[in-house]
Amino acid sequence: MRVIPITVLTGFLGSGKTTLLNQLMKNTENENVVIIVNEYGDVGIDHALVLTNNQEQIFQMNNGCMCCVLREDLIDMFLAILQVAEKGPAAIDRIIIETSGLAEPSPIAQTIIRTPLLNEHFVVDSLITLVDAKNGFYQLEQYPEAIEQVAFADKIFLTKTDLADAQQIKSIKKELIKINPFVDIETLDLEAVAYQDIVGLDLFDRSIAGAKKAKTDIDHMMNNFTENRHQHKTYHIHDHPHEGPIHEAHHHIHTAVDSFVITCPTPLSEAQVISWLRMLISQYGMDLMRYKGILWIDGLQYQVVLQGVHMAYKLEEGQQWAQVAETKIVLIGKNLPQKEITEWLLHGHPKNISDRK
């Protein structure tokens, strides 16, 4: 059985996820699609809101926010889909997951990456985040979940732009770039969106393309970072509510989101990379939000593709080096010390990194 790609739709309450899902289901490009709807609380989503036909199946989890359910629940759900795929009359071409508006999408990616049986049969296609252009400022300021949805995104779509003026749209884009300076941000017309605009983008780690496009993806992210660098600063969430747009905090800091790039023009040893990854996991754990890159490993003629979410990561063989080899890694996380993390990878254990609590 071939690998089944998973597109994850996330975004805060009211950002338009269900409207988007309904629009996508009007034309699935003749694919057999499994829809997974996760609704916060005990009452499931109204089935009338999710369009379906005889070739689509709806898996619905009513036991709470997806980011809060037990990992075993996610595993069981995916295993059930595998059984349907193996015994069903038609192959399952794709899965689309609509998360709760109060969820962050990392448990889905972590579960697939860390579970051997699942990562043989499933791959995350893309994490797509919708942001309400009109109410995005308030949501980012008041709810850490909204910020995490942005930080984890492979692509961000601004919705409800018809309700916001040009300055509001410009300002919310600027705030999103502060959180995730690597990501592409586009506006989305929920009434005119096409299936291929959202599905099959293969942005998470380019696994569907066999990692052949991973270097292009990393280079594009780094170009975004360079272009946005003048706007990007450590992003702070205030720990108390107040009116107006989010400000760059100089006090009352609750959480900080950091984004940075590591490059190295010389080969790294395999032991060096493994030691560094173990350090990242042990020292920063759940504060690691997203990290991905192309690694130049000494003695190997091909790229090594790194993809990580929190404490789950994978390394896989990429394409042959066609140009000048170079290690390039992008990282997004909370309170990540760029200097120490970079020094560890390039030169070994920095003395002060063990001071982290």
Side-chain angles (χ1 to χ4, degrees):
M1 187 175 66
R2 70 179 186 84
V3 175
I4 301 173
I6 300 172
T7 297
V8 181
L9 299 179
T10 189
F12 204 73
L13 296 167
S15 60
K17 298 187 302 299
T18 301
T19 301
L20 173 60
L21 187 60
N22 279 289
Q23 191 68 19
L24 296 179
M25 290 303 97
K26 290 179 181 178
N27 181 10
T28 59
E29 299 292 333
N30 297 317
E31 290 190 325
N32 294 321
V33 183
V34 171
I35 307 300
I36 301 173
V37 178
N38 174 227
E39 180 69 6
Y40 184 75
D42 295 329
V43 179
I45 193 169
D46 184 351
H47 280 198
L49 296 178
V50 181
L51 303 184
T52 183
N53 59 41
N54 293 332
Q55 292 183 326
E56 293 157 4
Q57 300 154 38
I58 296 179
F59 281 71
Q60 186 170 342
M61 301 175 66
N62 292 320
N63 58 341
C65 175
M66 187 169 285
C67 67
C68 300
V69 299
L70 296 175
R71 298 302 178 269
E72 289 80 5
D73 291 345
L74 290 174
I75 293 173
D76 289 344
M77 179 180 64
F78 286 121
L79 290 178
I81 293 173
L82 274 182
Q83 291 180 347
V84 172
E86 292 172 352
K87 299 178 180 179
I92 293 175
D93 296 310
R94 189 174 306 280
I95 297 171
I96 301 177
I97 300 178
E98 178 196 349
T99 70
S100 161
L102 295 175
E104 50 101 342
S106 64
I108 300 167
Q110 287 187 91
T111 300
I112 293 171
I113 292 173
R114 299 181 68 175
T115 309
L117 178 60
L118 297 185
N119 60 42
E120 293 174 9
H121 297 284
F122 300 100
V123 61
V124 179
D125 180 298
S126 303
L127 299 178
I128 306 297
T129 298
L130 305 188
V131 176
D132 182 335
K134 179 69 174 179
N135 300 305
F137 275 121
Y138 177 81
Q139 294 164 351
L140 290 170
E141 186 178 41
Q142 299 295 324
Y143 299 98
E145 297 90 346
I147 290 178
E148 301 221 352
Q149 290 165 358
V150 171
F152 281 107
D154 292 314
K155 193 163 188 174
I156 296 173
F157 287 100
L158 281 179
T159 61
K160 303 184 179 180
T161 53
D162 57 319
L163 302 178
D165 59 36
Q167 184 57 46
Q168 286 176 311
I169 294 173
K170 181 179 178 180
S171 297
I172 190 63
K173 284 184 177 180
K174 188 173 181 180
E175 295 301 324
L176 296 174
I177 286 170
K178 290 179 183 178
I179 304 171
N180 189 342
F182 301 109
V183 75
D184 287 333
I185 303 172
E186 297 181 8
T187 59
L188 185 66
D189 182 349
L190 290 172
E191 300 301 321
V193 62
Y195 188 73
Q196 61 269 20
D197 294 336
I198 305 295
V199 174
L201 301 183
D202 189 19
L203 297 175
F204 185 77
D205 64 356
R206 298 292 186 181
S207 290
I208 301 170
K212 293 179 181 178
K213 295 183 179 179
K215 184 178 183 299
T216 301
D217 187 34
I218 295 297
D219 287 343
H220 179 69
M221 294 174 69
M222 292 181 65
N223 287 338
N224 282 351
F225 183 81
T226 300
E227 292 172 2
N228 296 325
R229 183 176 294 174
H230 68 284
Q231 298 186 56
H232 177 249
K233 299 179 181 179
T234 297
Y235 187 86
H236 298 296
I237 309 169
H238 292 258
D239 60 358
H240 61 87
H242 56 81
E243 297 180 354
I246 301 174
H247 304 286
E248 294 167 9
H250 300 286
H251 52 79
H252 303 298
I253 296 173
H254 178 64
T255 305
V257 177
D258 300 298
S259 304
F260 59 93
V261 173
I262 299 175
T263 60
C264 181
T266 57
L268 304 169
S269 71
E270 182 178 350
Q272 191 176 357
V273 171
I274 296 301
S275 174
W276 179 73
L277 286 169
R278 288 174 177 170
M279 179 279 299
L280 280 177
I281 300 298
S282 64
Q283 294 286 339
Y284 303 104
M286 294 300 289
D287 287 344
L288 282 168
M289 301 170 83
R290 289 293 301 273
Y291 49 108
K292 61 194 299 185
I294 301 295
L295 309 179
W296 181 17
I297 304 298
D298 192 22
L300 300 182
Q301 299 303 311
Y302 54 83
Q303 304 162 1
V304 174
V305 181
L306 167 67
Q307 174 65 241
V309 176
H310 288 321
M311 293 178 285
Y313 72 89
K314 66 177 180 178
L315 296 168
E316 59 183 344
E317 180 178 335
Q319 62 183 343
Q320 296 286 317
W321 288 107
Q323 301 173 347
V324 177
E326 182 181 30
T327 290
K328 300 177 181 180
I329 305 172
V330 299
L331 298 97
I332 302 175
K334 301 175 184 176
N335 301 302
L336 299 182
Q338 177 178 352
K339 181 178 179 181
E340 287 84 348
I341 290 175
T342 303
E343 284 293 313
W344 182 294
L345 176 63
L346 302 184
H347 305 298
H349 193 301
K351 292 182 180 180
N352 59 342
I353 202 167
S354 60
D355 295 337
R356 176 181 170 90
K357 300 298 183 182

